Amino acid sequence: MKCLKSCCWRHIENNTGNLLTAHVNTLLIYDSYSGKLGSIVKADKVFLFSLTSKKHVSDSYIRLLQAIGCTFEIIDSSKAINESALSMRDMYIRLIAKLPVKVKNKGSDLKEIFAVGQHASLWWFSLVAEKNTHKSDTLTRLSQLDAITEAIKRYNINKIIITCSSSRLKSALTGYASEKNILIDNSNKHHNNTAAKAKSIIKQITGILYYFIYSLYTSMTMKREFASVQREPVDDNALMLLTYYPNIDIAQAKKGIFADKNYMKLQTMLTAAGSAITWIALYVESNAITKEEAIRSAKTFIKNGSRIYFLDEFNSLWTHLSSLVTMFFSALKFILLEKNIKAAHVIKDYNMYALVKDDWYSSFMGIAGYQGLVYYKTFKRLLSTIKARKYLYLLEHQAWEKAFISAKKALGLTPPVLGSQSGTVSQMLLNFFNDPSEIRDTGRYSLPKPDIIICNGQHPYSFMLGSGWPQEKLYIAEAVRYSYLIKYLEAEFIRTEKIVLLACSISIYESSSMLNVLYEALNNEPGIEVWIKPHPFLQIEKLFQYSGIEMKSCSFKIINEPIGTLLQRARVVVVGESSVCIEAIAFGCDVFIVNSPEWISMSPLTKTRASMINTVSSADELKRQAVRIFMEQHDTLRHRTEAKRIINEFFYFSEPVDSVQRFFDLVNK
């Protein structure tokens, strides 16, 4: 790679022997202000490519360029990155699907190399195979890299200056620049690869040790708490329902009644029909209820007849020790194969391994793979202890789901597995999607799949069908959690307040990108009130810390009231991947989709056209659109007509609307 120690490279001789200064097209990539611009001079033309929605950062660079006197152009990076995301989506899914067969050792592919016994593979428990955009920022970084490389070609860039927080993006760009013979001024250019690898390995070992202690402690706590609780006898003819706990109706819980929010009316119908249910609870920390309260409530539910078991009760020291041994040998295999794995990560004309490297390390040397193994072995113990006639779980294609199905397969159990989509499905939530070749594969270590996928509407059904799932495996049933929306389509909401609601998603990446844009647009804005509704499983303090915003300096109100209560008062709702985007439309709100350079748009409404759906790409645009909406008279009739169309496209409802008969028939037959 060319060096920038001096500016001698920019001088050439004319035919008289005089030195002339060469014109240089420079791409400035940044997410923070460094206060310097390296070797930029007046003759250069600079193209600004921002990776942040914080306007003051761009303004600072503009002032610096104006002081130098060079010409500059601002690239619409939000638009470029989100357009790249749409084009990269299918290519990325295909790349991941082909990796196991592209990288082989002694005739064995990656699924076989990382096999766990005869029926499972660590490959399917990995972040790499899962492609979960809530757990990893790889797709966003890939979209940024692709947009940057396209800008380099379009503007004939000779030099890159990069100052951003992502060492992975820096590394990928450095590799690209070296290959394309482009000069790069990178604060990370003297990076020690050996030291970085050692640091990454230590990070993975630390993560494993943390999870080892945390998981064992949780397991011992659950066993101790429920050891003396008398449970109903195990019913081998029961339906086994896997759910996240404590996603429960708190009001009902205070009365000692277990009402699971994930299944709601289905649970009521099954109970009324006398169907036996065995609940398997996967504990997740919640803002709505403390762990102590959740355990106390679970004890009450069990005493009142609910057959509830926590997955953690089936965890053990042996589970962890055997998983540690497996991870040790997995790490050795990965280290030997890493060079070949890296070479297989070519998309278009660049190698993107640097972007996904952390996912590989976590999956085959660290905590992600270790968690997958613990899930697999714990599920094997659970399923060998508790039998069922059928299994139903919340389908998101996460590692624990694949571990569950792999464990069932390893034990030779034959009852069918049903996966139910409980929320909205965004096409950018890549964990929901696989390449058709993965779905068709029926080999020993093929994708762990449910026998039936229950889609909650026409849109997700079409998505799954288009992804390659056989039609005979797909069914449409009622959107259990959303039937309540129908009554609000006919309601009249009189909104006299100028309220903007930020509905956070479970992803800290997505939530922080929306918060940054909203903060730039409306912090301390006279006459407009901004509310933040945290996701139940996202800590608000961590969100502000990740966003780099001091809570004390923020004028926004953090409100934990039920989302339905807030939607009745807010006129504008800023929301990402969350199903709140559909709920907000039913409540007569205008929805804002934010395209930011920090994080690609995950909204399920991206391709939906309607008057109440607004896409903004900057803080200025958000503010301008919000002010316009507050000044306009709300067209209730038009909104209601469009809302009905959108909701019926996304969700299926029976007649009468509160019935879940089709879902019940699928589960109970």
Side-chain angles (χ1 to χ4, degrees):
M1 186 174 63
K2 291 188 179 180
C3 180
L4 294 181
K5 288 183 179 178
S6 70
C7 292
C8 61
W9 52 268
R10 65 162 65 244
H11 294 101
I12 57 174
E13 286 189 21
N14 64 9
N15 55 11
T16 63
N18 296 321
L19 285 176
L20 298 175
T21 301
H23 170 78
V24 176
N25 284 344
T26 300
L27 185 64
L28 173 61
I29 305 162
Y30 59 90
D31 63 10
S32 60
Y33 182 60
S34 67
K36 54 185 178 180
L37 288 177
S39 52
I40 288 178
V41 297
K42 187 175 182 179
D44 293 344
K45 181 168 184 179
V46 179
F47 297 85
L48 286 82
F49 196 102
S50 175
L51 298 177
T52 178
S53 53
K54 296 177 179 177
K55 189 173 179 293
H56 68 272
V57 175
S58 294
D59 289 344
S60 297
Y61 278 116
I62 289 171
R63 285 192 295 270
L64 196 55
L65 291 170
Q66 289 172 335
I68 294 171
C70 61
T71 58
F72 61 88
E73 183 175 330
I74 301 170
I75 297 172
D76 188 345
S77 56
S78 293
K79 180 182 178 182
I81 290 166
N82 279 278
E83 286 179 350
S84 280
L86 294 173
S87 67
M88 296 307 299
R89 176 189 179 275
D90 291 345
M91 281 189 274
Y92 182 53
I93 291 173
R94 196 174 305 115
L95 172 76
I96 298 302
K98 302 301 181 186
L99 280 176
V101 294
K102 286 177 73 174
V103 182
K104 292 189 175 184
N105 184 45
K106 297 180 180 179
S108 297
D109 65 25
L110 288 180
K111 288 180 286 187
E112 296 166 330
I113 292 167
F114 293 106
V116 183
Q118 298 297 310
H119 302 284
S121 174
L122 191 57
W123 167 256
W124 294 117
F125 306 158
S126 71
L127 287 174
V128 182
E130 187 175 324
K131 310 178 298 294
N132 193 326
T133 32
H134 281 330
K135 297 179 181 178
S136 168
D137 66 349
T138 296
L139 181 61
T140 289
R141 295 304 183 193
L142 176 59
S143 303
Q144 291 172 339
L145 175 64
D146 184 68
I148 290 167
T149 58
E150 289 300 313
I152 289 170
K153 298 168 192 172
R154 180 178 180 181
Y155 299 108
N156 192 26
I157 298 298
N158 312 113
K159 184 179 72 169
I160 300 170
I161 297 175
I162 178 167
T163 168
C164 76
S165 58
S166 173
S167 59
R168 290 179 294 126
L169 183 59
K170 285 181 181 180
S171 179
L173 277 171
T174 300
Y176 179 82
S178 176
E179 187 176 315
K180 302 299 180 182
N181 203 31
I182 298 170
L183 297 156
I184 185 164
D185 188 345
N186 181 356
S187 60
N188 200 40
K189 63 178 178 251
H190 299 301
H191 192 59
N192 188 319
N193 288 329
T194 303
K197 179 175 284 192
K199 185 178 179 180
S200 183
I201 292 172
I202 292 170
K203 178 183 175 182
Q204 301 308 326
I205 294 172
T206 303
I208 287 176
L209 290 175
Y210 168 80
Y211 185 70
F212 176 85
I213 295 168
Y214 172 82
S215 180
L216 273 181
Y217 175 76
T218 303
S219 175
M220 289 187 292
T221 300
M222 293 297 187
K223 289 175 182 178
R224 183 180 67 250
E225 291 287 350
F226 294 98
S228 59
V229 178
Q230 188 67 36
R231 285 185 167 106
E232 292 285 325
V234 173
D235 187 344
D236 291 355
N237 199 40
L239 168 69
M240 182 179 287
L241 273 167
L242 288 82
T243 189
Y244 296 110
Y245 184 90
N247 193 15
I248 57 177
D249 187 318
I250 302 296
Q252 291 289 83
K254 291 177 180 178
K255 301 174 186 177
I257 301 170
F258 175 50
D260 184 272
K261 281 187 171 183
N262 294 307
Y263 296 105
M264 299 174 75
K265 291 176 182 176
L266 176 65
Q267 179 185 356
T268 303
M269 283 191 71
L270 289 168
T271 303
S275 300
I277 304 174
T278 298
W279 294 91
I280 304 300
L282 283 74
Y283 179 77
V284 182
E285 290 185 5
S286 170
N287 294 323
I289 182 172
T290 66
K291 187 174 185 178
E292 292 73 22
E293 291 171 329
I295 292 174
R296 190 160 54 246
S297 294
K299 288 181 179 179
T300 302
F301 300 151
I302 293 169
K303 289 175 182 176
N304 291 342
S306 295
R307 193 181 290 106
I308 302 172
Y309 295 88
F310 283 84
L311 180 63
D312 294 300
E313 294 181 74
F314 298 86
N315 200 341
S316 68
L317 178 61
W318 172 248
T319 296
H320 283 273
L321 293 177
S322 58
S323 297
L324 285 172
V325 172
T326 303
M327 283 307 299
F328 174 76
F329 287 106
S330 168
L332 293 179
K333 295 174 187 175
F334 173 72
I335 290 169
L336 293 173
L337 289 171
E338 186 179 12
K339 184 177 180 180
N340 293 338
I341 289 170
K342 177 181 179 179
H345 281 72
V346 176
I347 287 185
K348 290 188 174 180
D349 61 340
Y350 51 82
N351 189 296
M352 51 81 65
Y353 177 71
L355 304 180
V356 75
K357 182 178 178 180
D358 285 357
D359 291 350
W360 277 95
Y361 273 62
S362 182
S363 299
F364 298 97
M365 300 177 68
I367 188 171
Y370 182 60
Q371 282 179 319
L373 289 170
V374 171
Y375 272 126
Y376 172 65
K377 295 172 187 291
T378 304
F379 273 122
K380 280 183 71 175
R381 189 175 178 192
L382 182 150
L383 294 175
S384 63
T385 305
I386 301 177
K387 307 301 181 186
R389 63 176 175 84
K390 190 176 289 187
Y391 308 98
L392 175 65
Y393 71 96
L394 302 167
L395 183 139
E396 293 176 323
H397 294 300
Q398 295 196 63
W400 75 259
E401 303 165 39
K402 297 170 190 174
F404 163 68
I405 295 171
S406 297
K408 173 184 171 287
K409 181 181 177 182
L411 293 170
L413 300 174
T414 57
V417 176
L418 283 65
S420 164
Q421 295 170 344
S422 63
T424 51
V425 177
S426 165
Q427 285 193 291
M428 303 309 288
L429 268 177
L430 298 193
N431 45 296
F432 276 100
F433 300 95
N434 291 91
D435 187 76
S437 63
E438 293 176 299
I439 297 167
R440 289 193 301 266
D441 184 17
T442 57
R444 176 184 290 180
Y445 300 112
S446 59
L447 171 68
K449 303 181 285 284
D451 298 293
I452 289 174
I453 293 178
I454 302 173
C455 305
N456 61 3
Q458 186 59 48
H459 265 11
Y461 176 85
S462 300
F463 292 161
M464 294 299 102
L465 196 63
S467 186
W469 287 93
Q471 192 169 6
E472 61 271 17
K473 283 184 174 286
L474 300 175
Y475 292 82
I476 297 178
E478 295 85 358
V480 176
R481 291 167 50 191
Y482 302 102
S483 60
Y484 82 98
L485 293 177
I486 299 300
K487 65 180 180 181
Y488 290 108
L489 287 172
E490 304 300 330
E492 293 261 4
F493 298 106
I494 300 173
R495 296 178 169 94
T496 58
E497 304 163 290
K498 295 180 180 179
I499 298 172
V500 176
L501 173 65
L502 170 60
C504 297
S505 73
I506 194 171
S507 168
I508 194 169
Y509 305 122
E510 180 179 56
S511 298
S512 67
S513 69
M514 294 188 295
L515 176 59
N516 279 332
V517 176
L518 200 54
Y519 182 81
E520 289 279 328
L522 298 176
N523 188 47
N524 293 317
E525 180 66 23
I528 297 179
E529 196 171 350
V530 180
W531 295 349
I532 299 177
K533 167 64 175 173
H535 189 279
F537 303 133
L538 178 66
Q539 294 182 17
I540 195 69
E541 294 81 8
K542 287 186 177 180
L543 171 60
F544 272 84
Q545 184 180 11
Y546 186 84
S547 302
I549 298 172
E550 290 187 12
M551 294 183 71
K552 292 179 180 179
S553 67
C554 185
S555 64
F556 304 165
K557 292 182 180 179
I558 299 164
I559 301 181
N560 283 298
E561 292 181 29
I563 190 66
T565 302
L566 304 181
L567 291 175
Q568 291 181 46
R569 294 181 61 188
R571 176 71 188 276
V572 171
V573 179
V574 178
V575 59
E577 177 273 331
S578 170
S579 59
V580 172
C581 64
I582 310 295
E583 295 174 89
I585 289 173
F587 277 85
C589 305
D590 278 80
V591 171
F592 277 32
I593 299 170
V594 177
N595 283 345
S596 74
E598 293 103 323
W599 190 252
I600 59 173
S601 173
M602 303 288 295
S603 176
L605 295 171
T606 297
K607 296 183 179 180
T608 303
R609 299 290 173 261
S611 62
M612 78 286 284
I613 300 172
N614 305 269
T615 301
V616 298
S617 298
S618 68
D620 288 342
E621 189 178 4
L622 189 152
K623 181 178 179 178
R624 188 167 58 251
Q625 294 282 22
V627 170
R628 173 187 61 79
I629 288 168
F630 287 131
M631 292 177 65
E632 289 179 349
Q633 181 71 30
H634 187 246
D635 189 340
T636 303
L637 181 60
R638 181 181 180 182
H639 188 115
R640 188 176 294 162
T641 302
E642 291 180 323
K644 286 180 180 178
R645 170 180 62 82
I646 293 168
I647 288 169
N648 286 317
E649 285 174 353
F650 276 90
F651 299 134
Y652 169 77
F653 302 115
S654 291
E655 292 290 343
V657 74
D658 60 347
S659 169
V660 290
Q661 189 64 49
R662 187 183 289 192
F663 203 146
F664 175 83
D665 291 341
L666 278 171
V667 170
N668 212 41
K669 66 181 180 181

